[in-house]
Amino acid sequence: MFKIGELADLCNISADTLRFYEKNGLFQASKRSGAGYRLYTQADKNRLEFILTSKSVGFSLKEIADLLSINLDKSNRTCGDAKQLVDDKLAQVKEKLAELERLESSLQSLSDACCGGSESALHCTILEALATPKKPH
Amino acid sequence: MFKIGELADLCNISADTLRFYEKNGLFQASKRSGAGYRLYTQADKNRLEFILTSKSVGFSLKEIADLLSINLDKSNRTCGDAKQLVDDKLAQVKEKLAELERLESSLQSLSDACCGGSESALHCTILEALATPKKPH
DNA sequence: ATTGACCTTAGATCTTAGTCTAGGGTTTAT
DNA sequence: ATAAACCCTAGACTAAGATCTAAGGTCAAT
Ligand SMILES: [Zn+2]
Ligand SMILES: [Zn+2]
Ligand SMILES: [Zn+2]
Ligand SMILES: [Zn+2]
């Protein structure tokens, strides 16, 4: 059994984060000691690793709760259920990517057009471009 | 002169947002009416358009404040000053892009490996992969 | 003269994922 | 037996960019 600080160290997160996950219903210690200390089992640690791996591929805590509920009830849930969550997330990520690519290209154009020199910015193409209203897309 | 609602409509934002920008030092009405109503000039509108265009290429409000201060004092600032802000932002955007591309590829692998069918999720490769601790990169 | 649309302020609330503090109890080692 | 290191709770605070609410004042038209 691990105390909260031990588990936190093992998983490279803080004890505060573990308490936060608990408060948000993601993750509870299996037991408490006589003094009220949280005591985590290996199974608890596995569940936490599931959470952290999910986080590392971009899922929010709310989405991770959904993944966990599928994982907890595997035999009554389908591959389709799991894949749906992944595909929804993938779609979100692609959307953000597209937006960031748009920003990247706008910024690159701004940067390319400006000499970046040390003369005054009176005719700076960046400032001129930013002062020009853009039609909404 | 525009009242706050008029300017907001013209620029497709809310009056609340204009008050919020004011509170954050980005943007103030040139005048107030006898009753205390904000009154905006065409120059105010130009400044707002600068803000909104900057926002649309990804600058935060804090960064926009920097851009505005360069724009307001053009003759004492340099192209290099302006370009620096753009290049810093570009670097940030590229960083986020790289992270999102990493997420995209992880999610795509998860999705590709799962049949997505309607049988039980007992052997779902997605759930298996998420249960496998990842070494930190 | 009263309705409705508009404006004012200060302050609360939202989202996300925590971090930090205060005030106190427990365990371990010296 | 006492200090260090750990744990507990509840609740406040952070960033960012708004949005919403309450309570009230103003303006145009009927
Ligand atoms: Zn130049
Ligand atoms: Zn320039
Ligand atoms: Zn399957
Ligand atoms: Zn599957």
Side-chain angles (χ1 to χ4, degrees), chain A residues 113-116 123-126, chain B residues 79-80 82-83:
Chain A
C114 170
C115 74
H123 307 294
C124 178
T125 53
I126 289 173
Chain B
C79 263
K83 187 161 179 166

Side-chain angles (χ1 to χ4, degrees), chain A residues 27-48:
Chain A
F27 179 59
Q28 271 198 244
S30 294
K31 298 198 175 163
R32 291 286 183 126
S33 76
Y37 286 20
R38 290 166 181 83
L39 296 174
Y40 299 95
T41 62
Q42 178 62 45
D44 292 337
K45 179 163 178 283
N46 292 343
R47 184 177 170 95
L48 177 57

Side-chain angles (χ1 to χ4, degrees), chain A residues 73-108:
Chain A
D73 189 27
K74 272 189 169 74
S75 55
N76 292 308
R77 308 297 297 273
T78 67
C79 263
D81 293 340
K83 187 162 179 164
Q84 186 65 57
L85 293 180
V86 169
D87 286 346
D88 287 354
K89 191 75 211 174
L90 187 53
Q92 278 174 38
V93 167
K94 281 179 193 288
E95 224 174 282
K96 277 195 209 164
L97 268 174
E99 169 69 359
L100 280 179
E101 274 158 8
R102 189 183 69 69
L103 298 186
E104 182 189 29
S105 118
S106 300
L107 288 166
Q108 191 69 63

Side-chain angles (χ1 to χ4, degrees), chain A residues 12 46 49-51 53-59 67 70-71 74-84 86-87 89-90 93-94 96-108 110-134 136, chain B residues 12 46 49-51 53-59 67 70-71 74-84 86-87 89-90 93-94 96-108 110-134 136:
Chain A
N12 280 303
N46 292 343
E49 276 160 353
F50 185 101
I51 291 171
T53 306
S54 300
K55 227 168 75 69
S56 78
V57 298
F59 286 106
L67 286 167
I70 293 180
N71 197 45
K74 272 189 169 74
S75 55
N76 292 308
R77 308 297 297 273
T78 67
C79 263
D81 293 340
K83 187 162 179 164
Q84 186 65 57
V86 169
D87 286 346
K89 191 75 211 174
L90 187 53
V93 167
K94 281 179 193 288
K96 277 195 209 164
L97 268 174
E99 169 69 359
L100 280 179
E101 274 158 8
R102 189 183 69 69
L103 298 186
E104 182 189 29
S105 118
S106 300
L107 288 166
Q108 191 69 63
L110 285 176
S111 180
D112 289 349
C114 170
C115 74
S118 56
E119 80 280 14
S120 106
L122 278 171
H123 307 294
C124 178
T125 53
I126 289 173
L127 300 178
E128 277 165 16
L130 293 177
T132 304
K134 256 195 25 176
Chain B
N12 280 303
N46 293 342
E49 277 159 355
F50 185 100
I51 292 170
T53 305
S54 301
K55 226 168 77 67
S56 79
V57 299
F59 286 106
L67 285 168
I70 293 180
N71 197 45
K74 273 190 170 71
S75 54
N76 292 308
R77 308 297 298 272
T78 68
C79 263
D81 293 339
K83 187 161 179 166
Q84 187 63 57
V86 169
D87 286 346
K89 192 75 212 174
L90 187 52
V93 166
K94 282 180 193 288
K96 277 195 209 163
L97 269 173
E99 169 69 0
L100 280 177
E101 274 157 9
R102 189 183 68 71
L103 298 186
E104 182 188 30
S105 120
S106 299
L107 288 165
Q108 191 68 63
L110 285 175
S111 181
D112 290 349
C114 170
C115 74
S118 57
E119 82 278 15
S120 107
L122 278 171
H123 308 294
C124 178
T125 53
I126 290 174
L127 300 178
E128 278 165 15
L130 293 178
T132 304
K134 254 194 27 175

